[in-house]
Amino acid sequence: MVIRKLNRGEEPPMDLLLLADPSPRLVHEYLQRGECFVAESNNRIIGVYVLLPTRPETVELVNIAVTKSHQGRGIGKQLVMHAIQTAKSKGFKTIEVGTGNSSVGQLALYQKCGFRITGIDIDFFTRHYSDEIFENGIQCKDMIRLSQDLF
Ligand code: COA
């Protein structure tokens, strides 16, 4: 498997990007403002993430996703670690990520990769998404914000 930047003119893997964020409008916005990276195996894209510069020296990891058939094999962790290294090599000082209060696995993954919880954006999902989202039997209402310093 290789993780590489999406080539200029190459079609972004929309199905995969929409796994991480059901809003096509937000996904398109992230793609325009950020840099898209893909994990490729046997000429097939099996993972994706976008690095989005937000504030000075700060970048946000958004839209990370792994194809359902390949989940649970460590690819998500490799993508998060790649995002951290890429952000560091580009000179960013902080990397942030946000996930739902109901995203138990994602919260575990990010903390295993060194992120710490820094805040809660109360009612982020109820305000910005028209459909109710449930995961692990929990309604997704709030965004948990996580961050790590890059040294
Ligand atoms: N409790 C504890 N640890 C958990 C867990 C849970 N419920 N669920 C996952 N983990 C851990 C795994 O054990 C693993 O850690 P380990 O390597 O120390 O064992 C780590 O989290 C990640 O596992 P990995 O196999 O690398 O993840 P993945 O390839 O399945 O990718 C996602 C993770 C989130 C990218 C993938 O599930 C996905 O695409 N989900 C849909 C899109 C999405 O939700 N994106 C994120 C939006 S915030």
Side-chain angles (χ1 to χ4, degrees):
M1 186 189 80
V2 290
I3 302 175
R4 61 166 177 86
K5 212 179 140 178
L6 192 74
N7 293 320
R8 217 176 249 277
E10 188 180 357
E11 209 51 52
M14 280 311 287
D15 289 5
L16 215 42
L17 289 159
L18 289 168
L19 258 189
D21 191 323
S23 161
R25 186 184 60 81
L26 282 181
V27 171
H28 283 295
E29 196 187 309
Y30 294 153
L31 285 169
Q32 278 194 338
R33 288 171 44 211
E35 277 187 291
C36 183
F37 292 82
V38 290
E40 192 175 50
S41 175
N42 298 323
N43 288 322
R44 207 181 134 209
I45 291 177
I46 54 168
V48 70
Y49 75 85
V50 176
L51 268 187
L52 185 71
T54 50
R55 297 185 301 281
E57 303 194 317
T58 303
V59 75
E60 183 164 346
L61 167 60
V62 293
N63 270 154
I64 182 165
V66 172
T67 312
K68 283 215 168 82
S69 58
H70 288 72
Q71 288 177 8
R73 300 189 203 169
I75 298 168
K77 202 170 187 181
Q78 285 184 59
L79 286 169
V80 175
M81 296 314 288
H82 188 274
I84 293 167
Q85 286 309 319
T86 305
K88 203 185 278 191
S89 70
K90 287 176 179 286
F92 289 100
K93 297 282 187 288
T94 307
I95 183 165
E96 297 181 334
V97 68
T99 194
N101 59 283
S102 50
S103 301
V104 177
Q106 288 80 341
L107 283 167
L109 166 62
Y110 299 140
Q111 290 178 87
K112 283 179 174 181
C113 292
F115 284 88
R116 302 273 304 271
I117 293 174
T118 51
I120 304 171
D121 194 342
I122 292 282
D123 276 325
F124 176 89
F125 291 97
T126 31
R127 272 188 281 114
H128 291 99
Y129 293 81
S130 45
D131 292 338
E132 285 186 350
I133 308 165
F134 276 86
E135 291 173 299
N136 304 301
I138 307 165
Q139 188 177 354
C140 181
K141 294 182 179 175
D142 312 316
M143 182 183 281
I144 310 296
R145 302 290 313 166
L146 301 99
S147 161
Q148 82 172 275
D149 292 333
L150 302 168
F151 299 108

